[in-house]
Amino acid sequence: MSRTTRRRTRVTLSVAVLAVVGATACTAEQPPPPTLRVDRGTVATSVSASGTLVAITEQNLGFPQAGKLAEVLVGVGTRVEPGQVLARLDDFALRQTLEQRHAGLAQQQAQLAKIRNGNSVEAAQATLEQAEKILDATEDQAEATNNANYSATDRAEKQLEFDRKVLDQAEHRLEADKRACGSAPPKTTTPPPPVSSQSAPAEKPPSGLLGTGGSQSATADAAPAGSQAGSGGGLVANPACDRIPADKQAVTDAKRVVLSSETALDTAEQRQNVDEAAGRLSIENARQSVVTAKNEVDSAGSDKPADTSAQEAAVRDAEAQVALAQRDVDNTVLRAPVAAVVSAVNGAEGEYVGAATGTTALAPGSSAALPEIAATSGGGAGGGAAAAPGGGAFIVLNNIDSFQLVVPFEESDAARVAANQRVEITVDAVPDLRAPATVLAIAPSGNSTTGVVRYYATIVLTENDDRLRDGQTALADVMVQSVDNVLRVPSAATRTDAGRLVVDVRGPDGAPVPTPFQAGLVGDEYTEVVSGLTEGQELLLPQGQSTT
């Protein structure tokens, strides 16, 4: 029987009781609606399967996985009690794996908290505002640079214009002096007195006079253009002619200045063009940053719910990895499921043992045959895994006055069943019996029967009862998860409204008040209350159930 079937049965029984109470009172006045209360207790979830009780006299024990024996704590003839540690495998590698899984879970939980509490939208908005400020600053800088370049180009143009005017003036002066030098009337000067051979050496003629000798012919030959020999033998000097060399030098200097100014203007114009192009590029880059920031704002607003869901799934996956790694570590410790005497130990410290299969048994960790499986199949509980050293089970317990139950679990339920979990056994022939038991082992591989894959588990009763008989039909409820001393409500009183769990709280006038609450563990009969309800509150069954 599945867990859902058992839960429906319990709800049906509860409703039936309420219906009987209502029927007995129909002859009188209308009875008050049935109520329940919020109380404290245990909330447990279980998986169920049925099988046949088998009286056992021998029990084969082993580890679910192969490994190196680190400790063997019992020997042949040792009397053991339920839960006593019999042996341990070297668990170093498995513990390292468990640590890695814990680290991975912590990382995924931190990432989930970061997404939930993160300010991605605010950060994206702040980035957008900063990008807009940078765009404004870039435009201001480009404008200031262009204005400075325009001013520098304008000054260079004015300087060139001024230098060209200076050049024109120098050229005009040169042309005027040239004309004046060729057309101005001569100016007579008094010749120096004759120099005798016995007199002092003649002085150097002043500027504008030619020659140092005493002959008139030499003087005439050396006279500059525009100078003429006077009738008295002297030279005629023209000031315009004297200015011509200076005028030429002035023209040369003015041309050099104009060339320098032209170069400066070209440089200023080139700088202006380059800076304008760079400014436009900077502005476009800043605008692109603004567009990108706007896209990030839109993306942050729409991606956060999806990112949260994806990360929640990653956290659940990491939690499952931790649970599997923890179970692997737990399975390195072999405990006695019941009180017994050790009849065989097949292994010593330092040796390697295979996964538990037993020698002739087909049930996981037991000598009982699996239902519906032929004894000649040759498969063990481990699906053909290597046997322990010596060709048999690792540890064999004998002289056990108890019963075991070999039951098949569906795939979804088998993933939650593990060795040493608590079990409650109910027997059809003894309705008031609730026998405690323990999961001995569960097969690591499944068996396909009529197209359905099932995993067989061996369950051992930890207490004996004189009313139990071999072959009785029994139901095993394996407690896969439970919490104690928590606030709880009967699951029959809950319903789902708009995706939330709701119960009807009895109001002051007796009318139901729908009250949502936050649920924790949802068990078979009760649901854990995390918040939203208080202890002692009266609850009404949902209308459909109370009417029924």
Side-chain angles (χ1 to χ4, degrees):
M1 181 186 297
S2 66
R3 180 181 57 186
T4 303
T5 303
R6 296 187 72 252
R7 182 181 300 172
R8 288 176 179 172
T9 302
R10 289 169 179 165
V11 172
T12 303
L13 291 175
S14 299
V15 174
V17 171
L18 295 174
V20 171
V21 173
T24 57
C26 284
T27 57
E29 59 183 8
Q30 184 68 23
T35 60
L36 305 169
R37 287 189 180 275
V38 181
D39 64 353
R40 285 192 172 274
T42 299
V43 177
T45 178
S46 63
V47 294
S48 304
S50 60
T52 302
L53 286 178
V54 179
I56 56 175
T57 58
E58 182 178 278
Q59 202 164 16
N60 300 322
L61 305 182
F63 296 97
Q65 295 183 2
K68 180 181 178 181
L69 284 171
E71 287 183 299
V72 179
L73 304 175
V74 295
V76 176
T78 303
R79 182 173 295 276
V80 297
E81 298 298 327
Q84 180 177 339
V85 177
L86 307 179
R88 289 189 177 92
L89 292 180
D90 183 1
D91 62 354
F92 175 78
L94 295 177
R95 286 195 177 276
Q96 296 306 309
T97 301
L98 178 60
E99 288 299 322
Q100 291 175 344
R101 297 294 182 263
H102 276 298
L105 174 60
Q107 182 180 8
Q108 297 298 341
Q109 289 173 334
Q111 186 65 25
L112 178 59
K114 181 179 179 181
I115 293 175
R116 285 176 173 172
N117 304 324
N119 59 342
S120 57
V121 176
E122 293 79 1
Q125 185 63 42
T127 301
L128 173 60
E129 294 174 356
Q130 184 64 24
E132 290 173 342
K133 291 180 181 179
I134 292 175
L135 174 59
D136 294 340
T138 302
E139 290 175 343
D140 293 342
Q141 182 183 15
E143 182 180 1
T145 302
N146 291 338
N147 292 337
N149 288 334
Y150 296 154
S151 177
T153 302
D154 184 63
R155 289 196 303 271
E157 290 176 347
K158 291 182 179 179
Q159 183 65 42
L160 177 59
E161 182 181 358
F162 175 78
D163 293 339
R164 285 174 175 171
K165 289 181 180 180
V166 172
L167 175 60
D168 291 341
Q169 292 174 358
E171 289 176 340
H172 290 159
R173 283 196 300 271
L174 176 61
E175 293 298 326
D177 286 342
K178 284 182 178 180
R179 288 193 300 270
C181 180
S183 61
K187 191 173 184 179
T188 306
T189 60
T190 304
V195 180
S196 63
S197 59
Q198 297 177 354
S199 61
E203 296 180 357
K204 183 178 180 180
S207 175
L209 299 182
L210 301 178
T212 58
S215 67
Q216 185 176 357
S217 60
T219 303
D221 292 339
S227 298
Q228 301 176 356
S231 60
L235 296 177
V236 178
N238 189 342
C241 297
D242 293 339
R243 292 194 299 271
I244 288 175
D247 291 342
K248 289 181 178 180
Q249 184 63 41
V251 170
T252 301
D253 293 341
K255 287 181 178 180
R256 187 181 299 110
V257 172
V258 168
L259 181 60
S260 176
S261 297
E262 289 175 344
T263 302
L265 177 59
D266 291 341
T267 301
E269 290 176 343
Q270 184 178 5
R271 177 66 178 273
Q272 176 180 326
N273 294 334
V274 171
D275 287 348
E276 284 182 350
R280 288 194 297 271
L281 179 60
S282 298
I283 290 173
E284 291 303 321
N285 288 335
R287 286 175 178 169
Q288 181 61 41
S289 297
V290 171
V291 172
T292 302
K294 288 181 179 178
N295 292 336
E296 290 179 354
V297 170
D298 297 337
S299 176
S302 60
D303 289 349
K304 188 171 182 178
D307 292 342
T308 301
S309 298
Q311 192 58 37
E312 287 175 345
V315 169
R316 290 194 297 271
D317 179 71
E319 289 174 343
Q321 295 294 333
V322 169
L324 290 174
Q326 182 63 59
R327 187 172 71 173
D328 288 341
V329 171
D330 294 342
N331 285 340
T332 60
V333 179
L334 183 62
R335 299 177 182 273
V338 293
V341 175
V342 178
S343 61
V345 177
N346 294 313
E349 294 181 5
E351 292 182 342
Y352 287 84
V353 295
T357 62
T359 53
T360 59
L362 296 177
S366 171
S367 60
L370 291 176
E372 304 175 11
I373 302 297
T376 57
S377 63
F394 171 52
I395 291 180
V396 179
L397 301 182
N398 216 329
N399 299 326
I400 302 174
D401 186 14
S402 182
F403 290 89
Q404 67 181 7
L405 190 66
V406 180
V407 291
F409 287 97
E410 297 178 358
E411 294 181 58
S412 58
D413 291 340
R416 306 171 64 187
V417 177
N420 300 320
Q421 286 178 334
R422 291 187 296 113
V423 184
E424 183 180 78
I425 302 295
T426 55
V427 180
D428 293 347
V430 190
D432 60 338
L433 176 64
R434 295 289 185 271
T438 280
V439 175
L440 176 62
I442 184 167
S445 61
N447 291 280
S448 179
T449 305
T450 65
V452 178
V453 177
R454 292 184 174 89
Y455 293 79
Y456 283 91
T458 300
I459 298 172
V460 177
L461 279 68
T462 57
E463 294 181 4
N464 191 24
D465 191 290
D466 295 337
R467 294 174 292 176
L468 296 179
R469 298 292 184 270
D470 185 60
Q472 289 176 332
T473 301
L475 178 69
D477 288 333
V478 180
M479 306 300 174
V480 295
Q481 191 175 5
S482 65
V483 289
D484 298 323
N485 192 28
V486 295
L487 205 62
R488 64 181 185 177
V489 295
S491 297
T494 65
R495 69 177 190 277
T496 302
D497 186 3
R500 301 180 303 174
L501 279 179
V502 176
V503 294
D504 289 331
V505 176
R506 183 185 182 92
D509 57 352
V513 179
T515 304
F517 69 97
Q518 182 180 355
L521 176 63
V522 178
D524 297 331
E525 299 180 45
Y526 292 93
T527 298
E528 180 186 1
V529 177
V530 177
S531 62
L533 299 174
T534 58
E535 186 174 359
Q537 283 183 297
E538 277 192 294
L539 307 177
L540 299 176
L541 284 175
Q543 187 63 33
Q545 294 188 21
S546 60
T547 302
T548 303

